[in-house]
Amino acid sequence: MEERMMYFIRRRNKLLVPIIILVFLFYFMLPLSLIFLPDVMNQTSFIPGITWAWLYAFLQIPMTWTVGWIYHIKAKKFDEQIEKWEREESV
Amino acid sequence: MNLTYFLFFICIIVCTLIITYWAAKRSNTTNRFYTAAGSLTGYQNGMAIAGDFISAASFLGIVGMIALNGYDGFLYSIGFLVSYIVVLFLVAEPVHRLGKYSLGDVICSRFPSDRMRWIMAIGAFSISILYMIPQLVASGYLLRLLLDIDYSISVLVIGGLMTIYVVFGGMVATSWVQIVKTVVLMSGTFLLSLIVFSNFNWNVSALIEKVKGGTPLGENFFLPGHLFNNPLEFFSLQLALVLGTAGLPHILIRLFTVRNTLEVRRSIISSTWIIGLFYIMTLVLGLGTVALLGYQSLTNADPTGNLAAPLLAKEVGGDFLLAFVSAIAFTTIVAVVAGLVISATTAFSHDIYHHILKKGKSTEKEQLKAARWTALIIGLVSTLFALRLETINVTFLVSMTFIVAAASNFPVLVLTIYWKRFTQVGAITGMISGLVASLVLVVLGPHIMNPEDGWIAREAIISLHNPGIIAIPIGFLGAYLGTIFSSKQSQSDESYTRFFIKSQTGISSRRESS
């Protein structure tokens, strides 16, 4: 039973671990780019009137919402898998 | 105080007391008192989390910071928001599955001992109190500035209300006060944002042009670097902000107030939507303040910029809107401090009284009585402290709370859940090193050691205002060293696997309860 559970958890984490690493990278690249690339960040981005610094800071908000949504979908699937497996076990 | 202000305040006080009366009839068991018996839905809890999290410092402070410093003020909000992804991915579901009422329950589900519970209770208690005192002190100043009420009366009213909510209504009252606060806060800031835009005929470019004219920074207002010009300080703050929430006991205990992990996820995700939208609106309010009021009027009224939102409200909506915004600020404060009182109460009455002093054998009636008395004493003592601290600058305690949480609770929580080799000694050394490092670094830093107005009139030994970048690694290092230098504990690999599976799936708990 435990091996099967660990298999499910590992499979889920294979996806979630890279996502959280990417979130950290995306988040910490903002202060780092402001520290090390201030000139680039102060240039106007592809949206007229918006600099890269503002665009990057704004993007953190939809990033948070999107990543939360991805987690929710994945976690729901994981719960269903576990429930299905539990039902099979109890039969 | 004029009649409009008075009516708004009375309305809020009466509404929240009605909620407390209704909740008091439902808080007759410890489960209801500490966690509202898991009766909240995910969306309700999401609103309560937002209400618990968005402090007066967020509402008034960030609007002011954006108005004074432009871009850098907005960066604060980003750290606060992204921190919820850390909570969601790493700790939210395991905390719900492993704990019952407190963070002590979570850690003790792997390392059951009185020592471990003591440490966790002291950690949760000190974080909650450290956060509560500056909130109370700020509330005193704020109401004095806004309404010309005496500092002591303001603190007594807010301290009294928070104590009444928790003593009589427990988590049910606290949650609903926080939900009402979120509704009032979001609708108020939304209304104010619309009024700001309408003043510029819904033309964002016109607003931006006016902002450039209203600030001495001119064009540079929209460029980074006006608040954070020390790169290390800046990075350190961002680190503490993003990791701190996952160690804040008053936020994490809210995860016990829903019935399952689906609702836990809904709670966190809905709170990120509320908090994200709120911070977008604070940006509009900050820009609106500079555009419509100008830098000079703002700093003349209050050099810290904390009065930006109320002054903007007065400018665009007269006394009525100012009264409304002041009432929002008032609700914001009471909702946050009530959340902190219940968090400190749980740490003391559940962890220390019930588990340690009574060895887990106190009756339901005794536990409830202890919880109410603890809440009363915590409320009274914090209010008395806040009254005494009128003339002392304690605002640094707010940022320190995030550092302490990120350096002590966060490493211990994460390592307990995910590190197989982790030991109880490691958990204890991690908590102690994180707590002590944060306190020492703050004492040696410019908040306390300052030749001009510091508690210690000397040059600071550590130049960082936010020493998270040193304290957080020390917390992790303390936990790591404590683990590798302690003998491998009796807990077998098999029992960790069972614990881990429970934390990730809830399986064994389901079996146990069935």
Side-chain angles (χ1 to χ4, degrees):
Chain A
M1 170 224 164
E2 280 170 3
E3 286 91 55
R4 188 95 173 119
M5 279 292 122
M6 290 303 283
Y7 166 76
F8 281 133
I9 295 167
R10 269 195 292 271
R11 214 169 64 172
R12 180 193 61 166
N13 289 354
K14 244 181 201 172
L15 188 90
L16 295 183
V17 171
I19 294 179
I20 188 82
I21 292 171
L22 284 176
V23 168
F24 276 123
L25 279 176
F26 190 75
Y27 172 75
F28 284 114
M29 283 303 286
L30 174 63
L32 290 175
S33 57
L34 291 171
I35 293 166
F36 295 110
L37 301 166
D39 296 334
V40 177
M41 295 303 279
N42 289 336
Q43 279 170 13
T44 307
S45 67
F46 60 89
I47 301 172
I50 307 268
T51 62
W52 287 108
W54 277 98
L55 183 68
Y56 197 178
F58 267 125
L59 279 176
Q60 305 271 345
I61 299 174
M63 181 275 288
T64 305
W65 292 337
T66 313
V67 168
W69 176 74
I70 293 172
Y71 181 88
H72 187 59
I73 301 288
K74 292 291 159 197
K76 221 172 168 180
K77 269 193 190 153
F78 178 73
D79 282 355
E80 281 166 7
Q81 265 177 345
I82 298 285
E83 261 172 42
K84 194 178 151 202
W85 179 80
E86 265 198 303
R87 270 201 306 273
E88 285 169 7
E89 278 283 290
S90 60
V91 171
Chain B
M1 196 187 335
N2 72 28
L3 189 65
T4 322
Y5 291 93
F6 184 73
L7 287 176
F8 266 112
F9 276 81
I10 288 296
C11 179
I12 284 177
I13 291 173
V14 169
C15 283
T16 52
L17 288 178
I18 290 172
I19 290 172
T20 309
Y21 175 73
W22 167 81
K25 290 197 284 187
R26 285 160 179 77
S27 296
N28 46 5
T29 64
T30 43
N31 193 21
R32 282 179 183 274
F33 185 90
Y34 289 129
T35 64
S39 62
L40 296 186
T41 67
Y43 299 115
Q44 288 168 346
N45 196 33
M47 288 163 79
I49 289 175
D52 210 358
F53 187 72
I54 301 171
S55 61
S58 278
F59 174 45
L60 302 173
I62 289 186
V63 175
M65 257 194 282
I66 292 170
L68 296 181
N69 304 296
Y71 181 84
D72 288 10
F74 185 58
L75 285 180
Y76 253 100
S77 334
I78 299 298
F80 284 139
L81 178 66
V82 179
S83 69
Y84 277 88
I85 291 296
V86 182
V87 177
L88 182 66
F89 271 66
L90 297 180
V91 296
E93 292 184 52
V95 162
H96 174 85
R97 287 180 183 122
L98 298 170
K100 192 177 176 194
Y101 299 143
S102 69
L103 289 188
D105 290 342
V106 178
I107 305 298
C108 290
S109 65
R110 183 169 175 196
F111 305 123
S113 78
D114 281 357
R115 250 188 317 173
M116 194 68 247
R117 211 174 261 282
W118 263 114
I119 299 282
M120 291 310 296
I122 290 169
F125 190 81
S126 23
I127 290 173
S128 304
I129 297 288
L130 282 177
Y131 202 37
M132 187 170 12
I133 302 280
Q135 300 280 347
L136 282 173
V137 173
S139 73
Y141 285 126
L142 185 73
L143 295 190
R144 186 168 69 188
L145 278 166
L146 286 173
L147 308 168
D148 209 20
I149 305 176
D150 186 61
Y151 174 89
S152 315
I153 295 173
S154 311
V155 171
L156 280 174
V157 168
I158 296 211
L161 280 175
M162 71 177 191
T163 312
I164 290 170
Y165 299 154
V166 180
V167 169
F168 294 104
M171 185 55 103
V172 182
T174 307
S175 302
W176 283 98
V177 167
Q178 288 167 343
I179 292 170
V180 168
K181 168 256 182 96
T182 300
V183 173
V184 175
L185 178 73
M186 291 300 282
S187 39
T189 41
F190 183 61
L191 178 74
L192 207 50
S193 304
L194 290 184
I195 297 176
V196 167
F197 277 127
S198 73
N199 270 274
F200 296 92
N201 291 321
W202 312 97
N203 183 347
V204 181
S205 309
L207 168 66
I208 290 173
E209 279 312 308
K210 196 75 196 294
V211 168
K212 289 174 186 166
T215 165
L217 297 168
E219 293 269 341
N220 291 336
F221 179 85
F222 290 99
L223 302 183
H226 303 303
L227 187 61
F228 309 119
N229 40 24
N230 176 350
L232 193 64
E233 180 88 73
F234 176 38
F235 194 81
S236 182
L237 174 70
Q238 295 289 320
L239 185 70
L241 292 183
V242 82
L243 300 182
T245 310
L248 287 178
H250 69 290
I251 298 295
L252 295 179
I253 61 165
R254 292 224 53 86
L255 302 173
F256 302 128
T257 63
V258 289
R259 68 176 188 280
N260 58 31
T261 46
L262 174 70
E263 300 299 326
V264 167
R265 297 194 290 271
R266 281 194 182 135
S267 308
I268 302 289
I269 291 167
S270 47
S271 66
T272 62
W273 276 89
I274 296 167
I275 294 168
L277 290 172
F278 171 76
Y279 285 134
I280 292 174
M281 292 192 287
T282 57
L283 177 64
V284 176
L285 302 191
L287 298 180
T289 309
V290 188
L292 295 166
L293 242 90
Y295 178 89
Q296 210 54 53
S297 319
L298 173 62
T299 47
N300 284 348
D302 174 30
T304 61
N306 283 339
L307 288 183
L311 289 174
L312 175 69
K314 190 170 187 186
E315 179 72 19
V316 296
D319 254 1
F320 184 83
L321 204 55
L322 172 60
F324 182 42
V325 168
S326 307
I328 294 174
F330 178 76
T331 326
T332 298
I333 294 168
V334 287
V336 173
V337 287
L340 292 164
V341 172
I342 196 146
S343 161
T345 300
T346 309
F348 191 86
S349 60
H350 174 65
D351 285 331
I352 296 177
Y353 171 79
H354 174 63
H355 276 287
I356 299 172
L357 300 179
K358 292 284 178 178
K359 308 283 175 210
K361 286 179 186 149
S362 54
T363 62
E364 181 77 10
K365 208 174 159 188
E366 283 171 339
Q367 285 183 62
L368 200 59
K369 200 172 156 190
R372 292 193 201 282
W373 274 104
T374 310
L376 179 68
I377 293 165
I378 288 171
L380 284 177
V381 173
S382 317
T383 309
L384 288 176
F385 260 107
L387 285 173
R388 301 279 298 172
L389 291 171
E390 181 181 356
T391 52
I392 299 167
N393 183 3
V394 286
T395 44
F396 68 90
L397 288 177
V398 175
S399 55
M400 201 178 96
T401 310
F402 273 80
I403 296 166
V404 174
S408 57
N409 273 346
F410 177 69
V412 170
L413 264 176
V414 168
L415 295 175
T416 300
I417 298 167
Y418 298 101
W419 191 20
K420 195 194 237 177
R421 170 78 173 83
F422 199 39
T423 62
Q424 180 171 274
V425 176
I428 292 173
T429 51
M431 276 298 288
I432 294 175
S433 53
L435 267 169
V436 173
S438 314
L439 295 175
V440 169
L441 289 166
V442 169
V443 170
L444 299 180
H447 284 301
I448 303 281
M449 296 182 82
N450 193 329
E452 285 165 26
D453 56 353
W455 292 7
I456 303 170
R458 282 187 56 178
E459 271 309 322
I461 296 170
I462 306 284
S463 64
L464 293 172
H465 284 86
N466 297 287
I469 201 159
I470 309 172
I472 297 167
I474 289 179
F476 275 100
L477 191 68
Y480 174 75
L481 292 178
T483 299
I484 59 162
F485 286 118
S486 60
S487 55
K488 203 170 181 209
Q489 61 193 40
S490 52
Q491 190 190 34
S492 62
D493 285 358
E494 205 182 310
S495 74
Y496 171 74
T497 308
R498 272 201 302 275
F499 163 86
F500 184 65
I501 289 174
K502 183 180 174 183
S503 78
Q504 301 298 302
T505 65
I507 289 270
S508 80
S509 63
R510 278 188 227 162
R511 296 259 157 101
E512 277 160 15
S513 62
S514 60

